[in-house]
Amino acid sequence: MPAERKRDYYEVLGISRGAGEEEIKKAYRRLAVQYHPDRNPGNKQAEEKFKELNEAYQVLSDPERRAQYDRFGHAAFQGPQGAGGFGGFDFSQGFEEVFSDIFGDFFGTGRGRSRSRSRRGEDLRYDLEIEFKEAATGAEKIIKFQRLVVCEQCNGSRARGGAEGVRICPNCRGTGQVRTQQGFFSISTTCGQCRGEGSVIADPCPKCQGQGRIRRPVSLSVKIPAGVDNGSRLKLRNEGEAGAAGGANGDLYVVIHVKEHPLFVRQDNDILIEVPISFPQAALGAEIEVPTLEGKINMKVPAGTQSGKIIRLKGKGFPDLHGYGAGDQLVRIAVETPRRLSARQRELLEEFARVSGEDTSHPMAKGFVDKLKEMFG
């Protein structure tokens, strides 16, 4: 193709002359994916467009070549020293760097990369139920479960004779991948003989059947911090499944489930409890015994306390999981009305009702009556 008929390289990539290195790479990547021969089989126009993109990228991605092109245009690469246009460019140079992440999506493997033989172990989950008070005070629990551990007989090598029984795969020569040539570029795919491991085992370990790992029961001591809530998740590093071929262990996640309490209800770091008192205690005031997470305490109920009133006990709730103090205990008063009265009790209450009348000792009732009068006259 004569130089004068060539399109401007900046125009080919759709960028300005002041474009930076990253912008050039992004433009090339976007267009090359669009016109890649594997996406356009048998399309000669797309193939030519792909070659044109590669030529433009080879020049503009190289600072020295770009400077020559900016000064002399296409003439900079013509003649005996200029390599005669398209034929003088090495289109594999820089190609793998730009497309190593993309071809993993196209072909299921990274271009030019061998798959790592070691793999991190799987994470595990353990659901642990604890008492309400243990969530407040903290606890230490022994949990038992099963997980994959490194086979002690082959030490994870998967071969009967240990590491000496592992041989390099003759098909991929230990890379885990094989290359196939398509036109002017090559594609790497997972080796079918070793399945990407890079090694083969003629005589597998009888203990783990050539897996390198074996399932075993495990007991662990888990410290439950004070203040955990229902659904809290504790992460124990490296206590999950053993990794394959020397890979790191996974993690163990302990999910906390807190049992309900017969008296207390948790609200964030506060705890709520409803305490019943008698009518005389509410009217005259009293000192009553109230349970807390730390034991029973005496609490004063002021005279004239109404049902539903909440008395706050500072610092008697749950400790903050991150160490920022503690919540409160909220005591909700429930004034209990007696269901069965003796003759004497009924007589006294009837006398109390006659004496009370509509005096100011019942402000709530008086206010209600006043509002009724306003509404209905």
Side-chain angles (χ1 to χ4, degrees):
M1 183 183 293
E4 61 271 16
R5 296 181 59 190
K6 286 186 181 230
R7 291 174 64 202
D8 180 79
Y9 288 150
Y10 291 99
E11 180 185 342
V12 169
L13 294 179
I15 56 177
S16 67
R17 289 190 169 269
E21 180 181 347
E22 194 60 32
E23 186 180 349
I24 294 172
K25 184 180 291 187
K26 285 181 179 178
Y28 170 62
R29 181 183 305 185
R30 175 177 54 82
L31 293 169
V33 168
Q34 180 181 348
Y35 293 104
H36 192 278
D38 283 359
R39 281 197 168 183
N40 303 273
N43 189 333
K44 293 295 183 182
Q45 188 176 358
E47 185 177 340
E48 290 302 318
K49 183 71 174 177
F50 187 68
K51 291 178 181 179
E52 186 182 38
L53 288 168
N54 275 281
E55 182 178 344
Y57 179 71
Q58 286 296 306
V59 172
L60 299 185
S61 64
D62 185 297
E64 185 176 342
R65 285 182 175 181
R66 183 179 179 181
Q68 292 177 358
Y69 177 74
D70 287 345
R71 186 174 180 183
F72 301 108
H74 293 294
F77 310 107
Q78 293 177 346
Q81 304 301 319
F86 179 83
F89 294 108
D90 177 12
F91 295 112
S92 64
Q93 181 183 354
F95 184 81
E96 292 184 359
E97 174 193 348
V98 176
F99 282 94
S100 60
D101 53 343
I102 293 177
F103 283 102
D105 296 333
F106 279 175
F107 308 111
T109 177
R111 181 187 260 290
R113 299 178 183 173
S114 64
R115 195 174 85 184
S116 174
R117 282 169 257 171
S118 64
R119 294 189 300 276
R120 182 180 181 275
E122 295 292 326
D123 293 335
L124 295 177
R125 168 177 172 150
Y126 187 95
D127 292 274
L128 177 62
E129 189 175 58
I130 63 174
E131 298 293 336
F132 189 88
K133 188 173 181 180
E134 289 176 324
T137 61
E140 189 165 343
K141 295 284 189 179
I142 301 296
I143 62 174
K144 297 181 179 181
F145 61 100
Q146 291 198 343
R147 70 181 176 194
L148 288 174
V149 299
V150 175
C151 175
E152 63 272 15
Q153 186 164 320
C154 68
N155 199 29
S157 69
R158 303 182 294 138
R160 182 188 292 271
E164 292 78 11
V166 181
R167 299 287 182 267
I168 293 176
C169 175
N171 189 42
C172 65
R173 299 181 182 180
T175 65
Q177 294 188 335
V178 292
R179 285 179 176 268
T180 55
Q181 194 73 26
Q182 290 191 6
F184 58 88
F185 62 93
S186 62
I187 297 173
S188 294
T189 56
T190 301
C191 175
Q193 185 167 338
C194 67
R195 297 182 180 180
E197 296 293 336
S199 59
V200 291
I201 298 170
D203 189 7
C205 170
K207 185 82 172 178
C208 63
Q209 284 78 49
Q211 299 301 310
R213 299 179 295 176
I214 194 165
R215 194 165 294 280
R216 286 278 186 264
V218 179
S219 294
L220 283 180
S221 176
V222 180
K223 290 185 177 179
I224 311 297
V228 294
D229 202 351
N230 198 49
S232 292
R233 206 169 63 153
L234 309 179
K235 181 179 180 180
L236 304 182
R237 293 186 179 277
N238 301 319
E239 295 294 352
E241 307 273 32
N249 288 3
D251 300 324
L252 172 65
Y253 291 90
V254 180
V255 181
I256 302 298
H257 300 274
V258 182
K259 291 182 181 179
E260 291 186 1
H261 194 277
L263 295 176
F264 297 120
V265 175
R266 183 171 180 176
Q267 297 178 343
D268 295 326
N269 285 338
D270 295 335
I271 56 173
L272 175 66
I273 184 173
E274 188 168 85
V275 177
I277 63 173
S278 67
F279 170 71
Q281 287 177 314
L284 303 174
E287 189 172 278
I288 62 173
E289 198 173 62
V290 175
T292 70
L293 291 172
E294 300 168 351
K296 295 179 179 178
I297 64 168
N298 292 326
M299 184 187 79
K300 289 185 177 181
V301 177
T305 293
Q306 303 299 314
S307 189
K309 178 179 174 60
I310 291 179
I311 299 175
R312 185 179 293 269
L313 302 178
K314 286 285 188 182
K316 294 296 184 182
F318 267 68
D320 185 83
L321 184 60
H322 305 290
Y324 300 113
D328 302 328
Q329 178 168 320
L330 309 177
V331 182
R332 179 188 289 148
I333 300 299
V335 179
E336 191 171 19
T337 303
R339 295 185 177 183
R340 295 179 181 177
L341 298 173
S342 66
R344 179 58 177 160
Q345 288 173 326
R346 181 176 291 277
E347 180 184 347
L348 290 173
L349 280 176
E350 288 173 348
E351 178 64 21
F352 174 78
R354 283 194 297 271
V355 171
S356 298
E358 292 188 9
D359 64 21
T360 56
S361 63
H362 296 84
M364 290 177 65
K366 186 176 184 303
F368 179 73
V369 171
D370 290 344
K371 288 177 182 178
L372 282 177
K373 288 179 180 179
E374 290 177 8
M375 289 177 64
F376 302 105

